[in-house]
Structure formats: C-alpha cells, structure tokens
Amino acid sequence: LNQDVIGVGLQYAFAPLRAHKLLVGTQLEFGKSDFRRSYALGIFNADRTVGELYAPIEQVNVEGSNRQLGIYAQDVWSLNEKTTLLIGGRYNHASVKTTDRLSPTLINVEGEASPGLNNDYTYQRFNPSIGLSYQPAANSTWYASAGSSNRVPTPVELACSDPEFPCLLPNAMAADPFLEQVITTTVEGGY
C-alpha cells in the first residue's frame, strides 16, 4: 500500500469595519493511493526454505484518487462590548475515484462480469455555522453555537460498495450499497 497526499491552503483575515472581523479562505487537497495484494503457492524444502510452485497470483490491484476543495468565510461581529455574533460557512466539493487494474475481469455466480473496483463519485455540501457569546463580567461568559460538517467516503470504503460482487479488499467490511457522505450537526452551549 502506498498513499500520498498533498494540499495547500490560503487564508486572509481583515477588519473592514470596526465591529466586523472577516476571515475568508480556501483549501485544496489531492490524494492518491495504490494498493496491490498477491499470493504464491509453494512447498517447504528439506532445508526449511520455501520453493515457489507458480508465479504469484494477483488478487487486488487498485488505484484510488481523491480531490477536495473547500471555500469558507467567517464574520466575527461585535454587537456591543459584551456580545459577539459569529456567522460562517464552508462549501466542500470532493471527488473520489477508484480504478481496478486487475485482469482478467471477475465473474459472479450468475455469470455476470464484475465492474471490479471502479467507482467515480462526486460529493458537495455547504456547512453553515452560527455562534453567540455574551460576557456579563470579566471572568464570566455565556455561549451557544450550532453548525454542521461533512465527511466523504474514502476510496477503500467505496471500493466495497457493490452488493452484487463481494469486497475484494482485505478488510472486515462486506459489500454495501452506494455510500452517502456523513453529515453531522453539532449544537452546544455553556457558561
């Protein structure tokens, strides 16, 4: 298994008005993974070494790639000396692709050709957030916030998402239907 990820982020903060502090930014990430698995049959020799009977048999040869782009903005607005409102949002766009390089194509029990581990999915979502803090005294603050976030499936998770063909990757997952992105909502408050 070989995995590489590279990314870059750019963020700019400014205060166009005294009551507002704005933050805008973007993040771009590229990932690539190469997974291969094979086995060979052999026999034990008298000196306890192993002699190979046949050439190695390739079981899995898959390449995965993902691209993620995030664009975000946040406004920290001082409503007065004691109260601050935070409003923000982030747009995420991601594509996840797997390419099955195994040959020949696998056949299921009904005689149908497997699509292999080939997938190409795109996910997108806007995640808003809002927060409010109130500081009635120097050592006392009340706060409340709400926001959402998302996570897209990895190439390995998507490679096991066809219910017609069992998962070929070495893991504990079974075949599943198409996987949606995970979306979470968080609400909190405190003193």
Side-chain angles (χ1 to χ4, degrees), residues 21-94:
K21 293 179 184 172
L22 299 175
L23 177 73
V24 294
T26 186
Q27 180 180 358
L28 187 59
E29 183 178 286
F30 297 96
K32 191 167 190 172
S33 57
D34 180 39
F35 182 82
R36 298 168 194 230
R37 182 177 73 180
S38 62
Y39 70 93
L41 299 176
I43 59 169
F44 287 105
N45 299 320
D47 63 354
R48 296 189 180 195
T49 60
V50 177
E52 200 173 272
L53 288 178
Y54 304 104
I57 299 168
E58 196 169 47
Q59 289 181 299
V60 179
N61 186 342
V62 66
E63 177 182 67
S65 65
N66 61 315
R67 294 182 310 272
Q68 297 189 34
L69 168 68
I71 300 170
Y72 57 92
Q74 179 178 326
D75 182 8
V76 180
W77 184 5
S78 297
L79 300 175
N80 57 44
E81 290 183 3
K82 297 182 178 185
T83 309
T84 303
L85 176 66
L86 184 143
I87 299 173
R90 179 182 171 109
Y91 171 75
N92 291 323
H93 181 92

Side-chain angles (χ1 to χ4, degrees), residues 124-146:
Q124 52 190 349
R125 175 157 171 84
F126 177 74
N127 296 305
S129 62
I130 188 167
L132 183 68
S133 67
Y134 175 67
Q135 187 174 12
N139 295 324
S140 174
T141 302
W142 290 92
Y143 69 93
S145 66

Side-chain angles (χ1 to χ4, degrees), residues 3-14:
Q3 297 183 39
D4 296 301
V5 178
I6 188 168
V8 64
L10 181 63
Q11 181 174 293
Y12 182 67
F14 59 104

